[in-house]
Amino acid sequence: TRRLARGLSIITVALLILGQAQPALADYNHTGSGQWTTSSLSYYFYGPDGTYQSPTQAAATDWNDMSDLTVSATAEGWEKIGVGTGAYGTGFNGRTVICGVSGTCYSSIPINENFNYAQIDFNTSTTSGWSWGALRALANHEFGHAFSLWHVPYCDPVDHIMFTPVTHSCNGGAQYPQPHDIDGVNVRY
């Protein structure tokens, strides 16, 4: 009977773990209550250095394959994500500006209206010597912002592509979105 009770206890614990609800929306670091009105998103390049195109395409594929979003390359236009480069000096490696349906553009949080356009810029002043993998990680991080995720403010045992800086050991060297990042996007879309 002792063995049976122990077996039942293990099964009960396993069922409790499997039956846990998904984390609440508040458990993710979002940019605010704003989001895209669709889960099918497009991005385009507006003159970026060719060095950044391949890692960006890989990052779009990562999000496409791992999340509930459909992310694809397209021609320039609104309701899309523009990706470019520039020599902006020091201070950041990449940045994402999100424009809401009101026409207001935001470079910081909170963003509490639906998104109409996003612009991702890679800073060639600080990233020109980066490896392909580091650029892919940065592209995934910036896409995360474009999809409504904000920085993870603490280092914990769970890897996050949204930890900043993306080259920090706290993100575990991940080049692609991690399960918690994907959950944070999927809970929105």
Side-chain angles (χ1 to χ4, degrees):
T1 58
R2 204 176 231 197
R3 206 178 276 174
L4 177 62
R6 188 170 147 211
L8 288 174
S9 294
I10 292 170
I11 290 170
T12 302
V13 169
L15 289 173
L16 285 172
I17 291 170
L18 291 174
Q20 286 180 342
Q22 287 290 323
L25 190 60
D27 291 342
Y28 301 100
N29 280 4
H30 285 110
T31 55
S33 62
Q35 65 187 49
W36 296 95
T37 58
T38 178
S39 62
S40 182
L41 300 170
S42 302
Y43 70 95
Y44 67 94
F45 295 104
Y46 59 92
D49 177 321
T51 304
Y52 296 81
Q53 286 189 9
S54 176
T56 301
Q57 290 164 337
T61 299
D62 292 339
W63 283 102
N64 193 49
D65 291 348
M66 295 179 195
S67 74
D68 292 340
L69 294 172
T70 301
V71 185
S72 57
T74 189
E76 181 176 348
W78 285 97
E79 294 192 5
K80 298 183 174 52
I81 301 167
V83 180
T85 60
Y88 303 108
T90 60
F92 70 93
N93 298 319
R95 68 177 172 200
T96 301
V97 174
I98 297 171
C99 299
V101 293
S102 71
T104 302
C105 295
Y106 305 87
S107 59
S108 62
I109 59 174
I111 304 168
N112 294 319
E113 65 174 298
N114 286 334
F115 303 168
N116 191 47
Y117 175 77
Q119 178 177 320
I120 295 172
D121 287 309
F122 297 108
N123 186 355
T124 58
S125 297
T126 59
T127 62
S128 64
W130 285 23
S131 69
W132 187 91
L135 292 174
R136 177 184 184 182
L138 180 60
N140 269 310
H141 178 91
E142 295 305 326
F143 270 129
H145 286 316
F147 303 150
S148 78
L149 296 178
W150 194 243
H151 295 140
V152 175
Y154 50 85
C155 189
D156 65 22
V158 179
D159 294 343
H160 299 279
I161 199 67
M162 296 311 296
F163 190 84
T164 188
V166 294
T167 55
H168 193 281
S169 61
C170 285
N171 82 355
Q175 295 178 4
Y176 50 88
Q178 299 299 298
H180 196 77
D181 303 314
I182 296 299
D183 290 346
V185 166
N186 287 346
V187 78
R188 276 281 166 92
Y189 301 97

